[in-house]
Amino acid sequence: MMKRFLLLIIVATSFYHASAQFSRDKIKQIDSTLNYLHKRGMFNGTILLAEKGKPMYTKSLGTVSASSNEQITSSSSFNLASISKQFIAMMIMVLKEHGKLNYDDPVNKYLPTFPYNNISIRNLLNHTSGISEYSELSLQYRNTLDTIDRKDVLDLLAEHKPTLKFEPGSKWEYNNSAYVLLGNIIEASSGEEINSYFKKTITGPLQLKHTYMHYQNMPFKEDPHPDLVIGMVRKNGNMMWDDINRFDGTVGDGNIYSSTEDLLTWEQAWYTEKLVKTSTLQEAYTSVKLKDGTTYPYGFGWFIKEPGKIVNHTGSWVGFRNLIERDITKNTTLIMLSSGGNGLARKIITDIINNKNIILPQTQLITHVKIIDGTGNPAVVASVRIADDKIYEIGNLLPIGGEPVTDGKGMILSPGFIDSHSHHYGDLKRNPEAIPTASQGITTIVIGQDGGSYAMDSLTAFLKQRPVAVNVATYTGHATLREEVLGEKNLFRTATQNEVDKMKAILHSEMEKGSLGLSTGLEYEEGFYSNRDEVLQLASTVANDKGRYISHIRSEDINLDEAIEEIIEIGKQAKIPVQISHIKIAKKDRWNSSNELLQRLQIARAEGVNITADVYPYTFWNSTLRVLFPNRDYTNPVSAEFAVTQLFDPNESVLVEYAPVKEYAGKTIAAIAQSRKESNAVTLMHLIQMASDFETKHPEHKGRIEAIAAKSMSEKDVTNFINWPYSNICSDGYKGGHPRGMGAFTRILARYVREKKSLSLETAIFKMTALSAEHVGITDRGIIAPGLYADLVLFNPTTVIDNASIKNPQAISSGIEMVWVNGKLTYNKQKATGEYPGMLIKRSF
């Protein structure tokens, strides 16, 4: 049975007389907030609010360790993490007053092996030294068996002399090495071991009973600390150890422990001269002045939140998340110490005190499900808790009082499917509930494909104005760039270098705004006339921005080999991941040769080219009639005859849209030819000419003029492409037209997993989620794991099936029971819920 220590302990709460700063209503809100967070495992610690040194409110929730039921109290001692720096700074100030050092003394006056001559003690105190972090140096030059102590930090700097990050005093940058070095300076200038000096100058005079140094391999004999709290982190419903590690052989930057009681005594001493003079304390509250005359709001161990009024400092290390904040003018104090690895309470409580609106995390639980997490691993029986838009925890979880619970009834819960090649965006303005995607489990569509795209700014504006129920990510289209630079009527040529440079500038701007990369549709007229150098230059621009390249390659039939070599060469020269859109072999006499093509791709991968593909599970495609003429010679009878014999099957290829003669829609090319008493080849040429004439006569026409669902692939090839380890699933669809727009993903689950058993269910899910995310560069979706976005789909593996066909391309799939997008239920029992949480997903920098 799961251990739930946080829910079993006695809660210690004390209310005192409310003040103006901490009103009774505000304290009640803080109290209820902490209870709420604690029940959800988001707070394990203690808080104290005080005015003029008198507690106004205290509360302790949780246990001192993951293996104990002992409750936390206001006397419990937490690792203060970076709040420890205040104590180190105070000891330096004491030494200054005793004439043992000056703030502007060079560090190597006290530490002779310190390799820099231009860094002062003051630079260390106020984080303007520019030295390297000792954790980085340790990872580079030491091994995991080494516990780094104060002497090691100095030795690492002395031995390796890393280049300073900036000229000392010219910039502010938080630095832990600086305060470890200050600990060394304390020992060197005082002539005493730091712990002894700490007791002599601080804990002794202030009679602090629960404040001490505690770290690995301490050189002094440590007294037992029955009040010591062990750092923890909540993982999947349990508290687990998260405490001292190999970087904790130091003291100075952290590893001073204290309680809320002692910290109140400590901070109250700053109103007196018990430790140092008032004038010395004022310097600690003064913002550092940089060499260029600007200031940064940090003094000696304190951030200056409001000059002359409010100072504070946080501390975060391993499982500890702490805060001390003081209003010096009103003598009010907030102290929060926590050991549960979650800093949310720290933010929310300070927002309450500062009269800001707060939003508490909303949780929900999905129980009784078989989780296929997207990694390809076998299903596990567990529950999933969502907090707001993220997955919070996974495991044998129990409901929290008042928490919404969804009973999964033993069905499969997987990550939401990511459609890496989608044209569904065009329907979202009319149908923002996104039924075509939700009904097949898709939670993210990747658009901007085949060379055509929308600008990032326009997408941002649209989604802000019209929220939708699906996430959207986009590539920047090559054809769109060409149209913007060359002009819509001037595309049938290669671009000049000046024009390419203009395209590169626009592309770079789009990348900075979050585009995933560059897409091309080189088989289409808008991109066909570009040469390889033009595409390579644009791909190299994307590579510099750490983006990706996806391509509807230049040919999928007679020039397939050359087209494959082109995309491989772009990947090789630009050093960029490249993806083949909807990979296929469309020339009839090359059907069933997919093994040869995949062998070529594997060789390219072995040569270092990160080449991948997406694929849809159909043997027919949907596009314009024009693509059946690779040489763009639409009136050539020889080419037309080649098309009907080699590039598609007229008897199984349906004209799905045809504006010039609407009655032709839904009929095969062979049937239309028969009705016209023409050969298939002649009818094909006539259909293209009629469409061209219609376009000329009706410039106001919106939407596609003609489209064909053309049978031009073998099932063996499609299956082989689906099974290739580096292919993910896509739809290449939109509402209407080809049935893939409504059923590509459910078809995989029904036909290729359940019926044909070509894929295991886990592998199919992997190819529709995590692998898709990897191939397009999305890093925070596609896997069911804590911290990732809660895009989820619940489906019945025994009934899920695609129902869309050429005759009924808008039929909704069966078996997709529920869909969550960013934690919101958007689809339930084949109906939209009215939630529109879709986001514009931007490239991770």
Side-chain angles (χ1 to χ4, degrees), residues 582-584 594 598 613-619 713-730 744-745 747-749 751-753 756-760 763-768 771 775:
H582 42 62
I583 188 171
K584 64 176 68 74
S594 50
L598 293 176
D614 56 28
V615 57
Y616 54 75
Y618 298 87
T619 57
M713 293 166 271
S714 78
E715 183 59 43
K716 179 181 178 181
D717 288 338
V718 171
T719 301
N720 282 348
F721 289 141
I722 288 172
N723 277 295
W724 188 45
Y726 303 101
S727 69
N728 66 266
I729 307 304
C730 73
F745 287 78
R747 183 176 179 83
I748 288 287
L749 297 173
R751 316 295 180 181
Y752 291 82
V753 173
K756 296 175 63 174
K757 295 181 172 47
S758 298
L759 295 170
S760 70
T763 299
I765 297 298
F766 169 64
K767 284 176 167 286
M768 297 192 287
L771 190 63
H775 285 177

Side-chain angles (χ1 to χ4, degrees), residues 478-539:
H478 172 226
T480 299
L481 294 172
R482 298 189 98 235
E483 288 178 2
E484 184 170 350
V485 174
L486 278 69
E488 186 177 353
K489 304 297 184 180
N490 196 25
L491 298 175
F492 303 149
R493 63 174 177 82
T494 58
T496 66
Q497 185 58 52
N498 182 55
E499 290 168 335
V500 172
D501 290 340
K502 290 179 179 179
M503 286 190 274
K504 287 162 63 176
I506 298 169
L507 179 58
H508 173 66
S509 176
E510 289 296 286
M511 294 298 294
E512 289 187 322
K513 294 174 182 177
S515 169
L516 299 176
L518 173 70
S519 84
T520 58
L522 300 179
E523 193 172 27
Y524 299 112
E525 291 171 333
E526 295 85 355
F528 180 80
Y529 292 94
S530 65
N531 58 27
R532 185 179 297 185
D533 180 68
E534 176 182 324
V535 178
L536 179 59
Q537 287 193 57
L538 293 172

Side-chain angles (χ1 to χ4, degrees), residues 233-363:
V233 62
R234 184 177 172 99
K235 289 188 177 179
N236 296 329
N238 289 311
M239 281 297 185
M240 302 178 66
W241 184 93
D242 186 20
D243 205 89
I244 284 177
N245 59 38
R246 72 184 181 96
F247 296 113
D248 286 305
T250 65
V251 69
D253 59 329
N255 291 329
I256 292 177
Y257 283 65
S258 191
S259 65
T260 53
E261 289 180 356
D262 275 8
L263 284 177
L264 180 60
T265 302
W266 155 253
E267 69 89 20
Q268 285 296 299
W270 285 67
Y271 293 101
T272 71
E273 294 192 340
K274 289 182 180 180
L275 301 176
V276 292
K277 296 176 182 178
T278 301
S279 58
T280 301
L281 293 173
Q282 289 306 311
E283 188 162 8
Y285 297 149
T286 301
S287 296
V288 55
K289 188 173 183 179
L290 303 176
K291 286 189 173 182
D292 63 1
T294 61
T295 61
Y296 191 88
Y298 194 92
F300 297 169
W302 291 99
F303 284 95
I304 293 90
K305 187 176 180 180
E306 293 185 35
K309 185 179 180 182
I310 298 177
V311 295
N312 64 16
H313 212 292
T314 58
S316 301
W317 178 242
V318 287
F320 297 95
R321 300 293 183 271
N322 310 314
L323 169 69
I324 181 170
E325 182 162 302
R326 307 169 62 224
D327 188 325
I328 303 169
T329 58
K330 296 180 180 178
N331 193 352
T332 58
T333 312
L334 162 64
I335 301 169
M336 289 186 70
L337 304 177
S338 69
S339 57
N342 192 318
L344 182 61
R346 183 169 65 185
K347 179 185 184 305
I348 291 178
I349 298 306
T350 54
D351 283 347
I352 291 173
I353 290 173
N354 293 319
N355 300 311
K356 295 181 179 180
N357 292 328
I358 65 165
I359 299 176
L360 293 176
Q362 301 299 306
T363 63

